[in-house]
């Protein structure tokens, strides 16, 4: 039986727990504040043989209108951040339910560099290793030292070091080989206090010119740039009801790359692209959308495209998941018809 401290609610609408503000109900819903709560929630689901879904800040998530016929475990493990010194390095261990941006701010305020370019990414600390979040030339894999998680195969808490997490571009074992196996309860980050921000992205080097900014200055600059691009959640702004970039940048064969060039009647070197290893080419999903007629501000019923960011599909007010999926499907089939490319959805889909 669940401990008295854990409340399991029924038929809870999931829409308010997502940044898209879309989605039907969870049959059962538990807000988990401690590791003991988490064990109780797992026992509850196992006793009833129902599936579980782990919810952080709901910022990389699309929930269907039917919702989820199982137990949603909302990770709200909060509490204080602990610090430790390892020779010249400093480590912070952060409960997974804390707000990511607040943690970034507190680290930058101390003059410590390493995650300042990841300011303004919504969601929880525990959500960041799942897709190895990254922006403006940084990703969490560079500073994650270890992860504490509940291993659902053994029902024990384990510590995974950085190598065990299998980090790669927008990937980790948590969203690939071991999807659904671990529930992250804390993340330990390691920083070198002697390090200064290293800016590699043009947006930031332009912003600061020749000067060497502090981590806190970079934090504020990144938030300002993200705001201009509609990639910062600001309550009340319509472009904020999104799940960030909705499509991944596709990696294609040289043949497809040349097919795209001939389809738009441009020389290949005028098409935004990057080498992706093994002779393959990464294309900009946003460019493909625009060429297919899905431009900023595009409207399809209650769903649409952000007025500031081509890749962000938005809920214009009362959109259902079906409205959003109609737009997603229209984009995917037009891009496929024009360029023979299957665009892959980035946010996790539930239901
Ligand atoms: C406006 C906007 C801008 C964004 N910008 C970026 C960006 O620049 N770079 C980037 O990489 N991402 C970006 N994102 C995507 C998103 O913010 C990140 O992926 C974020 O880390 C997701 O965390 P979350 O807590 O909201 O996870 P959720 O959306 O709640 O969950 C996402 C996945 O992680 C799993 N999960 C969540 N918490 C845990 C846990 N504690 N243990 C195990 N699994 C867990 C869930 O089961 C689900 O599969 C953006 C999103 C928005 C809305």
């Amino acid at each position: 039986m669940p401990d008295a401290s854990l409340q399991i609610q029924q038929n809870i609408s999931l829409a308010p727990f997502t940044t898209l503000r879309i989605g039907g109900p969870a049959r059962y819903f538990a807000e988990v504040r401690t590791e003991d709560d988490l064990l109780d929630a797992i026992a509850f689901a196992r006793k009833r043989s129902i599936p579980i879904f782990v919810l952080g800040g709901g910022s990389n998530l699309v929930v269907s209108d039917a919702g989820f016929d199982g137990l949603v475990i909302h990770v709200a493990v909060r509490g204080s951040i602990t610090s430790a010194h390892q020779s010249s390095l400093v480590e912070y261990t952060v409960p997974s339910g804390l707000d990511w941006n607040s943690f970034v701010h507190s680290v930058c305020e101390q003059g410590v560099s390493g995650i300042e370019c990841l300011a303004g990414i919504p969601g929880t600390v525990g959500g960041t290793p799942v897709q190895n979040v990254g922006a403006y030339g940084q990703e969490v894999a560079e500073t994650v030292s270890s992860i504490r998680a509940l291993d659902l195969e053994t029902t024990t808490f384990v510590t995974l070091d950085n190598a065990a997490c299998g980090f790669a571009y927008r990937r980790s074992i948590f969203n690939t080989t071991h999807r659904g196996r671990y529930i992250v309860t804390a993340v330990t980050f390691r920083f070198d206090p002697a390090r200064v921000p290293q800016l590699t992205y043009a947006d930031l080097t332009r912003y600061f010119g020749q000067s060497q900014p502090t981590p806190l200055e970079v934090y504020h600059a990144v938030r300002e740039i993200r705001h201009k691009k509609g990639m910062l959640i600001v309550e009340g702004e319509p472009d904020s009801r999104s799940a960030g970039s909705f499509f991944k940048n596709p990696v294609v064969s040289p043949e497809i790359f040349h097919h795209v060039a001939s389809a738009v009647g441009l020389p290949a070197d005028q098409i935004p692209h990057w080498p992706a290893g093994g002779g393959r080419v990464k294309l900009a999903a946003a460019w493909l959308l625009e060429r297919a007629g899905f431009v900023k501000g595009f409207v399809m019923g209650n769903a649409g495209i952000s007025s500031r960011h081509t890749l962000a599909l938005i809920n214009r007010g009362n959109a259902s998941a079906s409205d959003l999926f109609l737009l997603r499907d229209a984009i995917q089939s037009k891009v496929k018809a024009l360029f023979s490319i299957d665009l892959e959805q980035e946010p996790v889909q539930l239901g």
Side-chain angles (χ1 to χ4, degrees):
M1 281 299 291
D3 185 88
S5 74
L6 179 71
Q7 280 189 15
I8 306 240
Q9 299 168 274
Q10 290 192 45
N11 293 320
I12 296 296
S13 168
L14 292 173
F17 293 96
T18 70
T19 50
L20 266 167
R21 300 280 186 264
I22 283 177
R27 179 166 164 210
Y28 295 106
F29 184 94
E31 181 155 298
V32 157
R33 295 199 176 90
T34 63
E35 291 188 345
D36 283 344
D37 279 357
L38 181 55
L39 291 172
D40 289 340
I42 298 299
F44 177 91
R46 284 185 176 160
K47 196 170 161 196
R48 288 158 184 80
S49 303
I50 52 171
I52 62 161
F53 180 78
V54 179
L55 172 69
S59 63
N60 202 29
L61 184 63
V62 194
V63 181
S64 75
D65 294 324
F68 181 61
D69 192 18
L71 171 67
V72 167
I73 295 179
H74 186 212
V75 180
V77 182
R78 299 201 178 104
S80 48
I81 298 169
T82 56
S83 64
H85 289 269
Q86 298 276 338
S87 60
S88 62
L89 306 177
V90 61
E91 284 194 344
Y92 296 106
T93 297
V94 194
S96 59
L98 286 187
D99 173 61
W100 169 251
N101 182 71
S102 307
F103 171 60
V104 176
H105 186 248
S106 71
V107 169
C108 292
E109 260 191 327
Q110 293 167 60
V112 173
S113 166
I115 51 175
E116 60 281 359
C117 294
L118 306 177
I121 297 180
T124 58
V125 168
T128 59
V130 175
Q131 71 150 358
N132 179 21
V133 298
Y136 299 101
Q138 267 177 358
E139 52 183 26
V140 281
E142 294 160 32
T143 43
V144 167
S145 160
S146 65
I147 279 169
R148 181 170 162 86
L150 177 65
D151 180 350
L152 292 172
E153 274 187 12
T154 57
T155 323
T156 54
F157 286 93
V158 293
T159 300
L160 303 169
D161 65 14
N162 183 296
C165 295
F167 290 124
Y169 177 72
R170 295 298 170 276
R171 286 159 69 98
S172 71
I173 60 163
F174 309 111
N175 68 356
T176 56
T177 50
H178 293 76
R179 183 191 289 270
R181 174 167 173 184
Y182 296 104
I183 302 178
V184 178
T185 58
V187 185
T188 300
F189 296 87
R190 184 177 291 167
F191 300 100
D192 176 358
R195 198 191 118 118
V196 293
Q198 278 138 36
L199 308 179
T200 54
Y201 256 56
D203 282 341
L204 285 170
T205 48
R206 254 197 313 270
Y207 190 99
F208 288 107
Q210 296 304 310
S211 62
Q212 173 60 62
T214 65
L216 194 57
E217 284 166 345
V218 177
Y219 168 94
H220 288 299
V222 166
R223 286 182 60 92
E224 193 182 316
I225 294 166
R226 291 183 74 98
H227 189 209
K228 283 197 190 120
K229 295 188 170 179
M231 278 288 105
L232 192 70
I233 294 201
V234 179
E235 241 355 274
E237 289 190 4
D239 284 342
S240 287
R241 285 187 299 264
S242 85
S245 296
F246 205 87
F247 300 105
K248 294 182 183 167
N249 287 329
V251 174
V252 301
S253 65
E255 292 74 36
I256 295 290
F257 176 45
H258 289 290
H259 168 64
V260 171
S262 69
V264 295
L266 284 175
D269 63 3
Q270 285 186 29
I271 294 174
H273 68 283
W274 304 267
R280 294 173 71 77
V281 184
K282 187 192 272 187
L283 299 178
W287 185 89
L288 294 169
L289 258 68
E290 279 167 13
R291 285 283 166 166
F294 296 101
V295 294
K296 293 183 185 113
F298 183 92
V299 168
M300 187 186 263
N302 288 327
I305 292 179
S306 159
S307 64
R308 286 175 282 174
H309 195 288
T310 315
L311 278 189
L313 303 196
I314 57 163
N315 168 3
R316 299 179 56 244
N318 294 312
S320 61
S322 323
D323 293 331
L324 192 82
F325 294 152
L326 273 179
L327 174 57
R328 174 199 64 189
D329 295 349
I331 293 171
Q332 283 175 326
S333 45
K334 184 95 184 273
V335 168
K336 174 83 176 170
L338 288 175
F339 306 121
S340 305
I341 292 175
D342 290 302
L343 282 180
E344 206 186 323
Q345 176 174 317
E346 182 171 311
V348 173
Q349 192 166 318
L350 178 63

